[in-house]
Amino acid sequence: MSAPATAKQSRGLGVRCEELVHIYRTGDVDVVAVRGVDLVVRAGERVALLGPSGSGKSTLLGMLGGLIPPSAGRLWIGDEETGGLSERALLGLRAQRIGFVLQGAARNLLQYGTPIDNVRFAHRSVRRSARRDLMEPRELLDVVGLGPVADRPVPSLAGGEQQRVALAVAVANGPGLLLADEPTSQLDTAGRDAVLDLLDLVNERFGTTVIVVTHDADVGARLGRTVSMRYGRVGNEGDRGQQYTVVGKDGSVHLPDDVVAEWPPGTHVLVERTEDGVHMRRRPT
Amino acid sequence: MTSLRLALKGLRWRAGSSLAVLLVAVAAVGGAALGPMYAHSAEESLVRDGLAQAPTVTTSVQYRGGVAGQTQFTPIEIRDAVEQQAADPALDPWYLTGTLAMSVVNGSPATADGALGSAQVSWYRGQCEAVIILAGQCPRGPGEAMLSARTADQAGVGLGEQVRLGITADPAQDQATVVGLYDAASADPAVWGLGTPQQFRTAAIEGQPDRLDEVLVDEATMSGISGDVSVSSLRQLDAQSVGLSGVDAMRAAVETATAIPNPDDISGARTVATSGLPAFLDSLQPQVDSMRAATVAVTLQLVLLAWFVLFLLVSATSEERAGEIALAKLRGMTPRSTVSFGLAEPVLLLLVAVPIGLALAWLADVFLARAYLGAGTDVAVTPVALIAAIATCLGGALAAALAARGILTAPVLEQLRRTSGRRARLLRSSAVDAMAVALAVAGIYQLRRGSTDGLALLAPGLIALAAGLLAARALPRLARIAVSRTRTSSSVASFIAVRNIARRPSGLRIVVLLTLAIGIAVFAIDGWFVASANRDQLARAQVGSATVLTVSTDSPGALLAAVDEVDPDGNAALAAVTVSNGDGGLIAVDASRLAAVSSWDPTWAGNTPTGIGSTLHPPSPSPSIAVQGGLTADVTLDRRSGDARVLFAVAVRDARGVPHEIEAGELADGSQRVTADLPMCEDQPCTLTALTFRQPIEIPSTAVEADIGISAASDSLGPVDLAPVGAAGWRPGASSIQVPVDAGAAVASATAGTLGLQVSLDGPADAAVQVADHPDRLPVVQGSELAARPDTSTVVSGLDGRFVGIDVRGEGVLPRLLSQGTLTDLPYALAAMESAPGPFTAMVWLGASAPPDTVADLERAGLVVLGQETIASRSAELDRSSEALSLRLFVLAALLALALAAGTLLASAYVVTRRRGYELAALRALGASTRTLVGTGRTEQSLLAGTGVALGTAAGLWSASLAIPALLGASAAGGPPPWFGPAWVPVGVVVAGALALLLLVADAGSRRIARKAVPELLRQVQE
Ligand SMILES: Nc1ncnc2c1ncn2[C@@H]1O[C@H](COP(=O)(O)OP(=O)(O)O)[C@@H](O)[C@H]1O
Ligand SMILES: [Mg+2]
């Protein structure tokens, strides 16, 4: 891990989830958006949360960021279990230890300010005395390659630039964990690559743990470790080309997408123990 | 610093809604500050106006010292004592330098030929420069005197003649040479103080000396005598120098100056100082108090309305900023930082609004003071105004905090999703509703009991607020019922509009706001127009005609003659005389001219202008009988019984209206030629009033009954017809109230030129017959308060101060005297006089169409114009009464309230554009046409606006019907019957204008929203 850029830059924070559940209550209908997620992310790791729309990625990310209280399960950020934390403590966590990037770059930024203004705005959540230890807004923007646009009004920036400013603002207080929801979704390839480069930079230079929600498999591949979600569960995991499927608490496993394409829901499979493991095949009709 | 810069950027980013909030805040602060500032100015104006209009005798400080009772001091010592005390420096800031006068009140000037009359003999400091000297010079040393030209003329005294002044027993000191003649009318009041040298008056009692104009002498003359010299000094108030802040100090100084000196202190000459000022200031206090109470009530309502408006606007902008505030929470800011970030913008606007609002309030006050208050009224930012401005600002901040509260506590992600489902908790709170309703009920109860005017002005706001809040509760329920109806109707627009009303609180807030603003406005406009109509009516009654001149003249008869000469047709001018008496005074007007000249109103005493003329001046039984230069007649005395001597006298009224009785001699039995010399009828004809018979007093009386015939009457011009209309032209008694007991005379027959009388005398009482050239009893209309008193229906104290019989023909409000006193006809009142007129005030009333040179003509006819009053000037004075001043403030507040409401509506139409846009975009995506979209907005807004306006109008009119009688009750007491409105026309104009404006705003707003409601909007919300 490379040397921290600022003195008090926190080291990367690890994340551990056990049986995380979130249920949205809307009127009479309960939507179980996340249903029992177990996940461990080591400090300084880069992880992509992959999955189709509605699979619960954003909800999981929100829980990791302390924005959405888990309905059940346990969650550790670094060494701290968040379940027992007050709203105030969660604010403190977000102030300095977690950087959060909402989906849609514009929503992360004060539209009437410049990138500099937005970084300063983020600094407000840090006590004045501690602010000295933070990187100067201009320096930070220089580091992330946004120096030339630092004083331009946000609305005048291109989509990719806005997304990078949003990321810069999220890491302005030197967090150990950066959570970003679909940071590349509305960008062209060049914009996407610039954002991914920035994420790499942040991860390498500051040692920040990076968790990114995306539905783009390429982005996942670029980040290294991918965690796929479906129906609120973690299904497959990939690590540098290798694909794994994860056994759920109830014994369920998610099949890879190409297998699901062949075996539509309702297909009966035969599970047979073999010497080196377990073998599955379709029940002959 | 950086956060300030960021807030400023944010404000600029949201320029439209920032400006709206700023404008409302400025209006709120300005309105709140203007109330107390205006109250201060109006109070000062009330006090200054009051002091300026108060008679000198009330506001001045008068010093008096006299030789009587302090005979150990010389006039000089007393003069020095008065002068020294009057020079009190404590009064200098407000009072002019004192006058100084030494007088003998009851001098009796005489020439070698005899007494001239009674007169005040005086010296005034500065007198020589203060009168116009027509001949000769001012007295420069002892033994010199100056007479008024009128006295010299009446007495036939010329320059250089010797007179006894009649001020001391010592002939050496009493003797003076007439060295000058002066014009008594020219005396400068700055030197004369309260008095005037024009003191001439015919003696009220026959045989008493006439009162002469003042005789002026030198100071040395007054100092030298040992008579009863009184010394006086008067310090006049300089009303311009009085400011509200100095009133207390001035009062204290006057109270000290007029404190009763220690009676044990006999070291020097005693001087008594008096002033009516403290009592006068006390009498102003109720007006000042009611002004203050009204200002508090008006300001309170305006501030409450402003808070409400600020709450609406700030909550609308806060909702617009929900995303930004969520960002602060996303970044993990402490609640304190988040609050300060959330409130920085509105608070900044409020802070900026304070100086701007104060400045605008100051400008408005300057304008109001210039336009409506007394000249030179002070305009200042008073501490109370500052407090009010700051309180409004704090209230606005509180409203902002309330509005932002929900946003600060809402979950971050929900806020970011921009689906604001927040309810208007404040409005839903039953406690608030219940309190408003309870206050309104309390207000109504107090008003019904006819309570104070401060509350009367608070009631409209309370009633309108209660109505608005109740409507806000009822409306969603009604709308829900309507929803089920409109569901089946073909109009999508009205279905959606009604559904929106049923579930959206922001619209209900608009209803409350509109009800409140329109309620206050309707009340204010109605109150203003009703009160101002009543003030005009009062002014017309108090003045009498378009212009009223107060004039100086010898006698009421001379006044009548002069006016007759100037305006023989009786279209432009009217003679009027007031006399004070114990019954509220008597006003005698030339009634036949009332219709043409006066501002008489049928509501005053139930008479039309023409009707009142014939009521007061019915045709007399007989024409007048004129006599010039002595009356001669053949008189036959034919006794029936008794042998007592019978004296015969002739009574006439001279051209000035003064009655005289001339003995014509004793009647012998049988026929004789009798002559009554009538010197007062030499130059101008007199009017024959009565023939009197009596016994000589020194003889022990016995009864006499006789027939007396009078024929072949003639005067210096020829035959006089004593019976122009036969026996009906005469009636018994010298006057209408002289009741013959033992004595009596009656006209038994009257044929061409011959009167046949039956006379009966027993004792000293006279027997008389009078010419019936006026009604036996004076027709009068009484003021309603006098009429309500017992024992006032038979006699009134007339122009001569004697009782005269009356015939009460009506009651009500009288010009000038209002509900007091008695109104009668001047020519008849003159005819009913038995002796010379007492003190009176002479007026000439001019109609609105009087030619402009009438005043000059009147002066040429011998009248001296002392003062002038017009209905317009009186109206203007009444416009500066506390009630008018408070209502004016209320109207101003109401206009501000309307402006605030309209502005809020417009601003909220813009602010909510985005939010509402999503809904409409969804509708459009479902295939709704633009027309439907515009129609939806328009229907909803129009329904809300219509409800607000209708409720506000009803609430305003209702509170006006309750409050206006209480408000006008006090000031209308004793005046013309008050009119309580409603003033439909102005109210209608305001309501229609407001409605039209609101509908326009509704239309423009819904068009704008519909235009912005493109389906792309929806994509921004998704995900
Ligand atoms: N605020 C919410 N209220 C109710 N349901 C929600 C809410 N947010 C998300 N959901 C539902 O929860 C599920 C997971 O949503 P989300 O976490 O946004 O998934 P992803 O980010 O993978 O698209 C979806 O079915 C979605 O409809
Ligand atoms: Mg998502």
Side-chain angles (χ1 to χ4, degrees):
Chain A
M1 228 164 276
S2 45
T6 60
K8 292 272 173 69
Q9 194 75 51
S10 57
R11 314 252 309 257
L13 282 174
V15 174
R16 188 151 63 93
C17 314
E18 272 182 14
E19 283 287 299
L20 266 189
V21 173
H22 187 77
I23 302 168
Y24 288 109
R25 296 223 147 80
T26 43
D28 310 330
V29 191
D30 284 358
V31 178
V32 187
V34 172
R35 42 184 93 205
V37 165
D38 296 307
L39 182 68
V40 176
V41 176
R42 289 181 309 278
E45 210 176 355
R46 280 178 291 184
V47 180
L49 284 177
L50 265 170
S53 198
S55 56
K57 308 180 297 289
S58 295
T59 307
L60 178 60
L61 199 73
M63 286 195 282
L64 298 185
L67 297 174
I68 299 174
S71 305
R74 300 174 77 184
L75 169 66
W76 287 264
I77 308 280
D79 301 330
E80 205 150 17
E81 193 186 343
T82 61
L85 293 181
S86 64
E87 190 61 35
R88 187 74 186 245
L90 285 173
L91 283 174
L93 210 57
R94 276 203 305 281
Q96 280 191 281
R97 306 185 67 190
I98 303 175
F100 204 104
V101 181
L102 297 160
Q103 184 176 0
R107 291 163 75 194
N108 291 279
L109 301 172
L110 297 174
Q111 291 298 306
Y112 49 85
T114 60
I116 294 268
D117 289 332
N118 276 282
V119 174
R120 285 226 176 85
F121 178 65
H123 281 177
R124 280 199 210 173
S125 47
V126 178
R127 256 184 285 114
R128 213 170 281 270
S129 55
R131 249 177 247 174
R132 256 173 290 136
D133 303 331
L134 299 176
M135 206 183 259
E136 270 293 306
R138 194 169 297 280
E139 190 190 347
L140 174 70
L141 290 169
D142 277 340
V143 167
V144 299
L146 289 166
V149 299
D151 291 312
R152 301 230 324 250
V154 167
S156 72
L157 301 182
E161 285 171 329
Q162 287 200 21
Q163 190 58 263
R164 280 152 66 207
V165 174
L167 283 166
V169 170
V171 299
N173 296 348
L177 173 63
L178 174 63
L179 304 170
D181 196 349
E182 305 274 14
T184 60
S185 63
Q186 276 160 357
L187 304 180
D188 55 13
T189 359
R192 190 186 70 183
D193 290 344
V195 166
L196 291 174
D197 289 346
L198 177 53
L199 287 173
D200 283 344
L201 178 84
V202 168
N203 174 254
E204 278 158 22
R205 177 132 185 214
F206 305 148
T208 310
T209 309
V210 175
I211 302 177
V212 172
V213 163
T214 179
H215 57 262
D216 183 345
D218 293 350
V219 173
R222 167 87 188 261
L223 282 171
R225 181 178 171 197
T226 57
V227 175
S228 305
M229 291 189 70
R230 215 184 298 156
Y231 307 120
R233 288 208 180 87
V234 171
N236 310 313
E237 271 214 29
D239 209 350
R240 324 228 169 251
Q242 301 259 10
Q243 283 292 322
Y244 304 91
T245 189
V246 181
V247 181
K249 271 270 142 64
D250 51 357
S252 66
V253 288
H254 282 288
L255 300 177
D257 289 350
D258 49 339
V259 181
V260 175
E262 276 176 41
W263 295 352
T267 309
H268 285 80
V269 290
L270 209 61
V271 181
E272 296 163 331
R273 232 174 237 285
T274 61
E275 271 165 33
D276 54 345
V278 178
H279 179 74
M280 289 170 94
R281 67 185 165 92
R282 193 170 180 171
R283 174 180 166 185
T285 40
Chain B
M1 206 52 227
T2 57
S3 51
L4 176 68
R5 209 164 333 125
L6 192 65
L8 288 175
K9 280 186 180 175
L11 288 173
R12 206 171 53 209
W13 172 254
R14 277 175 283 279
S17 58
S18 302
L19 193 68
V21 172
L22 181 67
L23 286 180
V24 167
V26 164
V29 170
L34 177 59
M37 281 167 69
Y38 175 79
H40 169 85
S41 300
E43 229 174 89
E44 172 154 314
S45 170
L46 276 178
V47 170
R48 285 168 61 108
D49 267 7
L51 288 174
Q53 283 165 21
T56 309
V57 63
T58 303
T59 55
S60 59
V61 181
Q62 298 141 41
Y63 298 87
R64 236 175 277 285
V67 171
Q70 319 187 61
T71 40
Q72 69 272 38
F73 298 108
T74 65
I76 295 179
E77 286 170 318
I78 291 175
R79 179 201 66 195
D80 290 347
V82 168
E83 192 176 5
Q84 193 208 333
Q85 198 181 336
D88 185 357
L91 295 179
D92 289 351
W94 309 281
Y95 280 88
L96 306 174
T97 318
T99 64
L100 190 61
M102 300 172 76
S103 308
V104 173
V105 177
N106 276 311
S108 42
T111 57
D113 297 340
L116 301 177
S118 98
Q120 177 162 314
V121 181
S122 311
W123 162 81
Y124 291 87
R125 181 163 64 195
Q127 64 186 10
C128 296
E129 291 72 42
V131 287
I132 295 171
I133 295 172
L134 299 169
Q137 62 181 51
C138 203
R140 296 283 175 205
E144 295 186 353
M146 180 157 72
L147 304 179
S148 84
R150 170 160 57 182
T151 304
D153 187 38
Q154 283 167 346
V157 180
L159 287 183
E161 271 189 56
Q162 293 291 312
V163 289
R164 277 287 301 263
L165 297 171
I167 53 176
T168 175
D170 180 355
Q173 293 174 344
D174 204 34
Q175 197 71 34
T177 311
V178 176
V179 296
L181 303 179
Y182 73 97
D183 175 9
S186 68
D188 181 356
V191 166
W192 254 262
L194 299 176
T196 161
Q198 298 191 82
Q199 299 178 358
F200 174 74
R201 186 130 292 154
T202 319
I205 301 166
E206 196 96 22
Q208 292 286 310
D210 286 343
R211 183 76 176 166
L212 306 178
D213 284 338
E214 196 162 32
V215 176
L216 301 179
V217 296
D218 172 57
E219 183 180 12
T221 309
M222 295 311 293
S223 309
I225 61 169
S226 52
D228 184 3
V229 176
S230 60
V231 181
S232 64
S233 175
L234 175 101
R235 293 193 69 172
Q236 286 194 36
L237 178 70
D238 174 15
Q240 288 305 307
S241 70
V242 184
L244 194 56
S245 53
V247 167
D248 289 340
M250 173 178 76
R251 183 193 182 120
V254 169
E255 279 174 347
T256 311
T258 56
I260 297 161
N262 183 0
D264 300 335
D265 181 11
I266 48 163
S267 56
R270 262 198 313 281
T271 302
V272 179
T274 55
S275 176
L277 185 92
F280 180 73
L281 288 177
D282 285 342
S283 75
L284 282 182
Q285 201 55 42
Q287 285 211 56
V288 170
D289 288 345
S290 84
M291 175 74 219
R292 278 187 199 160
T295 308
V296 169
V298 171
T299 306
L300 220 58
Q301 286 173 83
L302 198 60
V303 169
L304 281 178
L305 182 83
W307 280 350
F308 191 55
V309 162
L310 277 176
F311 173 77
L312 293 188
L313 271 189
V314 172
S315 54
T317 47
S318 296
E319 277 171 26
E320 203 193 6
R321 292 189 61 213
E324 290 166 18
I325 293 167
L327 267 191
K329 291 193 280 184
L330 182 74
R331 298 281 168 248
M333 279 184 206
T334 57
R336 235 185 68 199
S337 315
T338 309
V339 166
S340 71
F341 169 67
L343 292 185
E345 292 187 14
V347 166
L348 208 61
L349 291 175
L350 286 168
L351 286 180
V352 172
V354 170
I356 301 180
L358 280 174
L360 286 181
W362 187 80
L363 282 178
D365 196 23
V366 167
F367 165 74
L368 285 172
R370 289 251 171 89
Y372 303 115
L373 301 179
T377 300
D378 182 42
V379 172
V381 179
T382 58
V384 184
L386 210 60
I387 290 171
I390 290 169
T392 309
C393 178
L394 288 179
L398 191 73
L402 270 177
R405 190 184 52 175
I407 289 160
L408 291 177
T409 54
V412 179
L413 292 179
E414 233 158 72
Q415 251 167 340
L416 287 163
R417 218 161 273 125
R418 303 206 209 210
T419 51
S420 171
R422 235 164 48 77
R423 293 264 97 105
R425 254 178 248 118
L426 190 77
L427 275 183
R428 298 233 139 193
S429 144
S430 308
V432 172
D433 290 19
M435 206 167 75
V437 172
L439 276 175
V441 169
I444 292 164
Y445 174 70
Q446 290 285 333
L447 280 179
R448 289 240 141 148
R449 286 180 45 209
S451 192
T452 56
D453 39 359
L455 189 80
L457 288 183
L458 197 53
L462 291 176
I463 290 176
L465 181 65
L469 289 175
L470 291 180
R473 281 184 166 269
L475 216 53
R477 262 154 240 196
L478 292 178
R480 244 169 268 142
I481 297 168
V483 165
S484 50
R485 295 258 171 85
T486 48
R487 208 190 297 273
T488 52
S489 99
S490 55
S491 163
V492 183
S494 57
F495 167 67
I496 296 170
V498 171
R499 193 194 55 107
N500 277 346
I501 291 173
R503 41 156 230 137
R504 215 196 321 258
S506 64
L508 300 178
R509 291 183 211 158
I510 295 287
V511 171
V512 177
L513 174 67
L514 283 180
T515 309
L516 191 53
I518 299 276
I520 290 176
V522 164
F523 174 88
I525 298 292
D526 187 36
W528 172 260
F529 278 92
V530 168
S532 100
N534 284 312
R535 283 201 303 278
D536 280 352
Q537 185 70 278
L538 181 62
R540 284 160 39 142
Q542 283 180 335
V543 176
S545 76
T547 303
V548 168
L549 309 172
T550 314
V551 298
S552 161
T553 182
D554 285 350
S555 68
L559 174 73
L560 199 59
V563 172
D564 222 21
E565 180 189 328
V566 170
D567 178 31
D569 301 333
N571 295 324
L574 168 159
V577 164
T578 53
V579 172
S580 52
N581 61 27
D583 292 327
L586 173 75
I587 180 162
V589 298
D590 191 350
S592 55
R593 299 181 172 205
L594 271 179
V597 176
S598 79
S599 54
W600 182 271
D601 189 289
T603 61
W604 294 354
N607 267 306
T608 61
T610 355
I612 189 71
S614 49
T615 300
L616 294 177
H617 193 101
S620 61
S622 162
S624 296
I625 299 169
V627 194
Q628 187 143 16
L631 184 72
T632 305
D634 289 340
V635 180
T636 327
L637 176 68
D638 187 3
R639 292 176 193 274
R640 292 183 178 182
S641 67
D643 55 359
R645 297 162 63 196
V646 175
L647 302 180
F648 175 47
V650 172
V652 294
R653 193 164 64 243
D654 69 18
R656 296 186 300 138
V658 179
H660 303 269
E661 194 185 74
I662 307 296
E663 293 284 350
E666 183 175 344
L667 295 181
D669 289 357
S671 187
Q672 60 221 286
R673 175 147 281 246
V674 176
T675 298
D677 289 326
L678 302 171
M680 68 292 290
C681 312
E682 293 286 346
D683 300 336
Q684 287 178 291
C686 296
T687 307
L688 181 64
T689 55
L691 303 174
T692 305
F693 305 91
R694 64 170 69 93
Q695 299 183 14
I697 333 169
E698 66 272 17
I699 309 292
S701 59
T702 52
V704 158
E705 287 200 16
D707 292 327
I708 293 174
I710 300 173
S711 59
S714 66
D715 65 0
S716 61
L717 297 179
V720 174
D721 183 1
L722 291 183
V725 292
W730 290 87
R731 61 178 168 242
S735 78
S736 54
I737 57 163
Q738 183 185 327
V739 184
V741 185
D742 299 325
V747 175
S749 66
T751 52
T754 305
L755 283 180
L757 307 177
Q758 290 178 348
V759 175
S760 123
L761 288 172
D762 188 5
D766 295 352
V769 287
Q770 61 170 317
V771 179
D773 63 353
H774 59 281
D776 185 21
R777 293 180 164 272
L778 213 48
V780 299
V781 174
Q782 286 184 324
S784 46
E785 281 181 41
L786 178 67
R789 271 164 44 191
D791 307 328
T792 54
S793 59
T794 53
V795 292
V796 71
S797 171
L799 293 182
D800 52 1
R802 301 185 183 203
F803 283 125
V804 53
I806 54 172
D807 172 14
V808 179
R809 295 178 149 219
E811 61 171 271
V813 173
L814 310 181
R816 302 196 73 89
L817 303 181
L818 304 183
S819 61
Q820 307 286 339
T822 307
L823 170 69
T824 192
D825 179 53
L826 180 58
Y828 282 163
L830 274 172
M833 285 201 307
E834 287 181 63
S835 59
F840 64 93
T841 304
M843 289 169 289
V844 179
W845 294 10
L846 301 178
S849 56
D853 49 359
T854 311
V855 177
D857 288 350
L858 287 167
E859 290 199 304
R860 226 168 290 128
L863 302 177
V864 179
V865 175
L866 303 175
Q868 171 176 335
E869 198 182 3
T870 64
I871 291 179
S873 65
R874 183 67 199 133
S875 237
E877 275 169 31
L878 290 174
D879 282 353
R880 304 220 291 260
S881 68
S882 64
E883 158 231 296
L885 293 179
S886 335
L887 277 172
R888 178 168 279 121
L889 179 63
F890 205 129
V891 168
L892 207 73
L895 294 181
L896 208 57
L898 277 185
L900 275 176
T904 307
L905 217 61
L906 200 63
S908 69
Y910 273 65
V911 172
V912 301
T913 301
R914 211 164 302 174
R915 205 150 28 89
R916 183 117 353 142
Y918 298 129
E919 286 179 20
L920 294 186
L923 283 174
R924 171 161 285 170
L926 292 174
S929 69
T930 305
R931 243 184 62 207
T932 310
L933 296 187
V934 174
T936 305
R938 200 165 37 202
T939 309
E940 182 188 345
Q941 298 283 317
S942 306
L943 272 176
L944 294 173
T947 309
V949 169
L951 270 176
T953 308
L957 284 176
W958 191 51
S959 48
S961 76
L962 287 174
I964 286 177
L967 202 63
L968 299 183
S971 60
W979 172 62
F980 293 136
W984 288 115
V985 174
V987 167
V989 166
V990 165
V991 169
L995 196 62
L997 185 75
L998 291 173
L999 294 182
L1000 234 97
V1001 169
D1003 185 61
S1006 31
R1007 272 174 201 288
R1008 192 182 132 96
I1009 293 172
R1011 210 168 38 240
K1012 293 235 158 165
V1014 287
E1016 286 77 66
L1017 209 57
L1018 291 175
R1019 218 156 296 147
Q1020 297 174 20
V1021 225
Q1022 282 300 308
E1023 299 224 62

